[in-house]
Amino acid sequence: MKKKIKNNVSWLGKVDWELEKFHGEDYSTHSGSTYNSYLIEEEKTVLVDTVWMPFADEFVENLAKEVDLKKIDYIIVNHGEVDHSGALPALMKLIPETPIYCTANAVKSLKGQYHEDWNFNIVKTGDSLDIGNGKSLVFVEMAMLHWPDSMATYLTEDNILFSNDAFGQHYASEKLYNDLVDECELFEEAIKYYANILTPFSAILRKKLDEIIALNLTIDIIATSHGVIWRDNPMQIVEKYLDWSNDYQENQITILYETMWNGTKKLAEKIAEGIYLEDPDVVVKLYNVAKTDTNDMITEVFKSKAVIMGCPTVGNNILNSMAGFIHYIKLMKFKNKKAAAFGCYGWSGESVKVLNKLMEDAGFEVISEGYRNQWNPDLEAENEAVEYGKSLAKV
Ligand code: FEO
């Protein structure tokens, strides 16, 4: 069922309450998600984006209940990724000649995924499309936010920015708007979304936000493609993005460790104690990398001024989960963050050196040679770990 947003603009998407993983198995969605499609019924009838492929038939059926499909004049594809374009093959079978407006890169992604040569109309930043009743759609390319094909579409007069993935959240709700849902839950999902999806593109994002702000558009509503629509003070999420894209950090140190026989775990806890003793204002968080959700930990790294990585030595190297997690950290291209390492060992003891090198390669400033302990920590080692924590508290 369509839900009216403003004047002749309606939401017509899918709330996916059961979704647990997104991007294959790569992104955990503890709060489900939504795929937001929008219908604009002015003199011209326009569909903005669709839904993920598993919901394609349901979407097309619902759309056909709301509007004669043959009366759809234009389809706007803000982004070719399958969670938004997934219903196009089913829809285009019924209305194959309908013009699709999208970026040149979106044509590549749509052809590459669906192997169809639909009626593509390529648009660039500043191009507009008259939809009657004195209103038009203005297109803004959003390359690398987060795909090369991404764009946003602005509806004049109603002042709605259809931002696609930008400003979105994986957050299922029947309540369509930011002011109707729990604010803490909403921002938890919004920052997780930014940290895990947009962090590598922060520099591009800053420029794009400046460009959009310079356009001086009145934005009354930001209609995203995931989660709730920002209608109450919509610029609050733009301001957050400006903040998050500017080498964001809070007064937080996160300790991430993996352990075999709990020796490194003991050191982790003692380091946390030391940080607290030295500076109780620092938020210290501690996670076992092998047992904790990867995307949640990335969000904690995003918020941190420093991370302290701990791992025992195995095979002259580090354990599996830690190696995989540091690979993920490297992909995020974090800036302006510090790192240090620690770990227990029985024989050769290379883990701290390996961690230092990997964190340096991931773009972190390694601020210490690290702390190593042979065999299980005794009282002396525990005290040394506390002191090590103290030495890292005020980085
Ligand atoms: Fe929500 Fe990049 O797709």
Coordinates of all heavy atoms in Angstrom, one line a residue, residues 22-23 35 79 81-84 146-147 150 164-165 170 193 197 225-226, ligand 1:
F22 N 23.2 -8.3 5.0 CA 23.1 -7.5 3.8 C 24.4 -7.5 3.0 O 25.4 -7.8 3.6 CB 22.7 -6.0 4.2 CG 22.3 -5.1 3.0 CD1 21.1 -5.2 2.5 CD2 23.3 -4.3 2.5 CE1 20.8 -4.4 1.4 CE2 22.9 -3.4 1.5 CZ 21.7 -3.5 0.9
H23 N 24.4 -7.2 1.7 CA 25.6 -7.4 0.9 C 26.2 -8.8 1.1 O 27.3 -9.0 1.6 CB 26.7 -6.4 1.4 CG 26.5 -5.0 0.8 ND1 27.1 -3.9 1.4 CD2 25.8 -4.5 -0.2 CE1 26.8 -2.8 0.7 NE2 26.0 -3.2 -0.3
Y35 N 13.4 -1.1 1.7 CA 13.8 -0.7 0.3 C 12.8 0.3 -0.1 O 11.6 -0.1 -0.2 CB 13.9 -1.9 -0.6 CG 14.5 -3.1 0.1 CD1 13.8 -4.2 0.5 CD2 15.9 -3.1 0.3 CE1 14.3 -5.2 1.2 CE2 16.5 -4.2 1.0 CZ 15.7 -5.2 1.5 OH 16.3 -6.2 2.1
H79 N 20.4 4.5 -8.5 CA 21.5 3.6 -8.2 C 21.2 2.2 -8.7 O 20.1 1.7 -8.5 CB 21.7 3.6 -6.7 CG 22.7 2.7 -6.1 ND1 23.9 2.4 -6.8 CD2 22.8 2.1 -4.9 CE1 24.6 1.6 -6.0 NE2 24.0 1.4 -4.8
E81 N 22.4 -0.8 -7.9 CA 22.6 -2.0 -7.0 C 21.3 -2.7 -6.8 O 20.2 -2.1 -6.8 CB 23.2 -1.6 -5.7 CG 23.8 -2.8 -4.9 CD 24.7 -2.4 -3.8 OE1 24.9 -1.2 -3.4 OE2 25.3 -3.4 -3.2
V82 N 21.3 -4.0 -6.7 CA 20.2 -4.9 -6.9 C 19.1 -4.6 -5.8 O 17.9 -4.9 -6.0 CB 20.6 -6.3 -6.9 CG1 21.1 -6.8 -5.6 CG2 19.5 -7.2 -7.4
D83 N 19.5 -4.1 -4.7 CA 18.5 -3.8 -3.6 C 17.5 -2.7 -4.0 O 16.5 -2.5 -3.4 CB 19.1 -3.5 -2.3 CG 20.2 -2.5 -2.3 OD1 20.9 -2.4 -3.3 OD2 20.3 -1.7 -1.3
H84 N 17.9 -1.9 -5.0 CA 17.0 -0.8 -5.5 C 16.5 -1.0 -6.9 O 15.5 -0.5 -7.3 CB 17.7 0.5 -5.4 CG 18.3 0.8 -4.1 ND1 17.5 0.9 -2.9 CD2 19.6 0.9 -3.6 CE1 18.3 1.0 -1.9 NE2 19.6 1.0 -2.3
H146 N 27.5 5.4 -2.9 CA 28.7 4.7 -2.6 C 29.2 3.9 -3.8 O 30.3 3.2 -3.7 CB 28.6 3.8 -1.4 CG 27.7 2.6 -1.7 ND1 28.1 1.3 -1.5 CD2 26.4 2.5 -2.1 CE1 27.1 0.5 -1.8 NE2 26.1 1.2 -2.1
W147 N 28.5 3.9 -4.9 CA 29.0 3.3 -6.2 C 29.3 4.4 -7.2 O 28.7 5.5 -7.1 CB 27.9 2.4 -6.7 CG 27.9 0.9 -6.3 CD1 28.5 0.5 -5.2 CD2 27.3 -0.2 -6.9 NE1 28.3 -0.9 -5.1 CE2 27.6 -1.3 -6.1 CE3 26.5 -0.3 -8.0 CZ2 27.1 -2.6 -6.5 CZ3 26.0 -1.6 -8.4 CH2 26.3 -2.7 -7.6
S150 N 26.0 6.1 -8.5 CA 25.0 6.7 -7.6 C 24.6 8.1 -8.0 O 25.4 8.9 -8.4 CB 25.5 6.7 -6.1 OG 25.8 5.4 -5.7
N164 N 18.7 8.3 -2.2 CA 19.1 6.9 -2.3 C 19.9 6.5 -1.1 O 19.5 6.7 0.0 CB 19.9 6.7 -3.6 CG 20.0 5.2 -4.0 OD1 20.9 4.6 -3.7 ND2 18.9 4.7 -4.5
D165 N 21.1 5.8 -1.2 CA 21.7 5.2 -0.1 C 22.2 6.3 0.9 O 22.2 6.0 2.1 CB 23.0 4.4 -0.5 CG 22.6 3.0 -1.1 OD1 21.6 2.5 -0.6 OD2 23.3 2.5 -1.9
H170 N 19.9 0.9 7.9 CA 19.2 -0.4 7.8 C 18.4 -0.5 9.1 O 18.8 -1.0 10.1 CB 20.2 -1.6 7.7 CG 20.8 -1.6 6.3 ND1 20.1 -1.7 5.2 CD2 22.1 -1.6 5.9 CE1 20.9 -1.7 4.1 NE2 22.1 -1.6 4.5
Y193 N 25.8 2.5 9.5 CA 25.7 2.5 8.0 C 26.8 3.4 7.5 O 27.5 3.0 6.5 CB 24.3 3.1 7.7 CG 23.9 3.0 6.2 CD1 23.2 2.0 5.7 CD2 24.3 4.0 5.3 CE1 22.8 1.9 4.4 CE2 23.9 4.0 4.0 CZ 23.2 2.9 3.6 OH 22.8 2.9 2.2
I197 N 29.9 1.6 5.4 CA 29.6 1.7 4.0 C 30.3 3.0 3.4 O 30.9 2.9 2.3 CB 28.1 1.7 3.6 CG1 27.6 0.3 4.0 CG2 27.8 2.0 2.2 CD1 26.1 0.1 3.7
S225 N 16.7 5.7 0.5 CA 16.3 4.4 0.0 C 16.3 3.3 1.0 O 15.9 2.2 0.7 CB 17.2 4.0 -1.2 OG 18.5 3.9 -0.8
H226 N 16.8 3.5 2.2 CA 16.8 2.6 3.3 C 16.4 3.3 4.6 O 16.9 4.4 4.9 CB 18.2 1.9 3.6 CG 18.7 1.1 2.5 ND1 18.1 -0.1 2.1 CD2 19.8 1.2 1.7 CE1 18.8 -0.6 1.1 NE2 19.8 0.2 0.8
Ligands
FEO1 FE1 21.2 0.2 -1.0 FE2 24.1 0.6 -2.7 O1 22.4 -0.1 -2.3

